[in-house]
Amino acid sequence: MIKIYHAQGARSLRVVWLCEEMGVPYETAEASFMKPSDAFKAVNPLKTVPALQDGDVNMIESVAMMIYIMAKYGPTDLEVKPNEPGYPDYLQYLMFGEAGLAAYGNPLVATRFMAPDDQKQNFTAGYLKNAILKRLEFVGERLAGKPYVAANRFTAADISIAYIANGARYAGIEKEIPAPVMAYIENLWQRPAYQRAAAVK
Ligand SMILES: N[C@@H](CCC(=O)N[C@@H](CS)C(=O)NCC(=O)O)C(=O)O
C-alpha cells in the first residue's frame, strides 16, 4: 500500500486529497522537518514533507507524486489527457501550484519564523510576498469566476493550486489572497474528499 509521510497542513495534503478523490488506499506516517524520524529521513534525506513509498518507489515531490498515482492507479478524470483541449492549461496549473506559488512561500515562511527580528521585513521577504500575490492575481484573472483552472472540471491542477491557502497561512499573508481566488479555493474545500483529507493527522 502507498505510504505517505504526512503532516497536517503540509503539501502532503495534496497527495492525501488526491488519494481520497480517487479512492486509492493509502496509509500515512508522521513526517516532521523539525524533528524527522529515522524512517522519514531514510525515505527523504532532505526532510521535506511529503515523501512517498510504494513498494520500491521512493518520491519526495508532491506534484510528481500526484502524477505518479494518477498514472499508476488511474484512469481518473482528475488527469487531463493530451488529446483534450484543456491539456495545456492543466499541465501549466499543475506545475504552477508548486513552482509558481508554493515554492515562493518556503523562504518567506523561514524568514517569518527563523530570521533575526531586524531581518524579518527585509527586501527578499517583500519580494516573495509580492511574487505570490501577483501570481494569485494572475490565477484569479484567468479563472474569471470559473470554478476550475483547467478543462472545465475538477482536476489535480486544482489540488495543486489550492495548497497555496495553507502556504499563505504559514507565511502570514492569508488575508491578502485575492477574494476571487479565496472563493475558488473555498469552493474546492467543500468537496467531501478534501474534508476527509484535511482531517488526516
Ligand atoms: N517541492 C516540494 C516542497 C516540499 C516542501 O518544501 N515541504 C515543506 C512543508 S509543506 C517543507 O518540508 N519545508 C521545510 C524545508 O523546506 O526544509 C514538494 O512539493 O513536495
Side-chain angles (χ1 to χ4, degrees), residues 8 11 27 30 40-41 66 80 95 104 107 109 112 119 124 133 138 162 167 171 173 180 187:
Q8 205 168 29
R11 286 165 172 87
E27 59 184 347
E30 191 187 338
F40 177 45
K41 277 190 286 189
M66 292 201 291
V80 180
M95 300 301 149
Y104 287 85
V109 175
R112 181 179 182 210
Q119 290 172 45
T124 309
L133 296 178
F138 167 83
I173 58 170
N187 182 49

Side-chain angles (χ1 to χ4, degrees), residues 99-190:
L101 286 172
Y104 287 85
N106 279 23
L108 194 51
V109 175
T111 305
R112 181 179 182 210
F113 290 105
M114 291 152 70
D117 281 347
D118 65 343
Q119 290 172 45
K120 285 191 194 299
Q121 306 294 334
N122 66 13
F123 170 84
T124 309
Y127 173 87
L128 293 165
K129 176 180 153 181
N130 286 338
I132 294 170
L133 296 178
K134 186 168 76 175
R135 284 160 178 77
L136 285 173
E137 293 284 353
F138 167 83
V139 171
E141 283 162 17
R142 290 300 167 100
L143 275 168
K146 293 194 297 294
Y148 308 116
V149 286
N152 294 318
R153 66 172 189 265
F154 177 71
T155 68
D158 296 299
I159 296 179
S160 179
I161 296 279
Y163 174 74
I164 194 59
N166 289 31
R169 196 166 63 241
Y170 295 125
I173 58 170
E174 72 275 24
K175 292 199 169 63
E176 295 173 67
I177 294 176
V181 178
M182 205 55 233
Y184 151 75
I185 293 173
E186 281 171 349
N187 182 49
L188 300 177
W189 285 349
Q190 303 309 310

Side-chain angles (χ1 to χ4, degrees), residues 30-43:
E30 191 187 338
S32 162
F33 55 83
M34 303 294 275
K35 290 186 183 161
S37 66
D38 289 343
F40 177 45
K41 277 190 286 189
V43 182

Side-chain angles (χ1 to χ4, degrees), residues 20-86:
E20 288 287 348
E21 293 279 357
M22 289 179 66
V24 172
Y26 65 92
E27 59 184 347
T28 57
E30 191 187 338
S32 162
F33 55 83
M34 303 294 275
K35 290 186 183 161
S37 66
D38 289 343
F40 177 45
K41 277 190 286 189
V43 182
N44 185 359
L46 293 177
K47 298 174 276 182
T48 51
V49 182
L52 174 144
Q53 269 184 316
D54 185 25
D56 293 341
V57 172
N58 280 8
M59 299 181 75
I60 63 152
E61 275 292 334
S62 60
V63 174
M65 291 172 203
M66 292 201 291
I67 295 170
Y68 165 80
I69 292 168
M70 290 187 290
K72 182 156 179 202
Y73 296 97
T76 168
D77 279 351
L78 296 176
E79 187 175 39
V80 180
K81 298 289 188 201
N83 61 353
E84 294 186 64

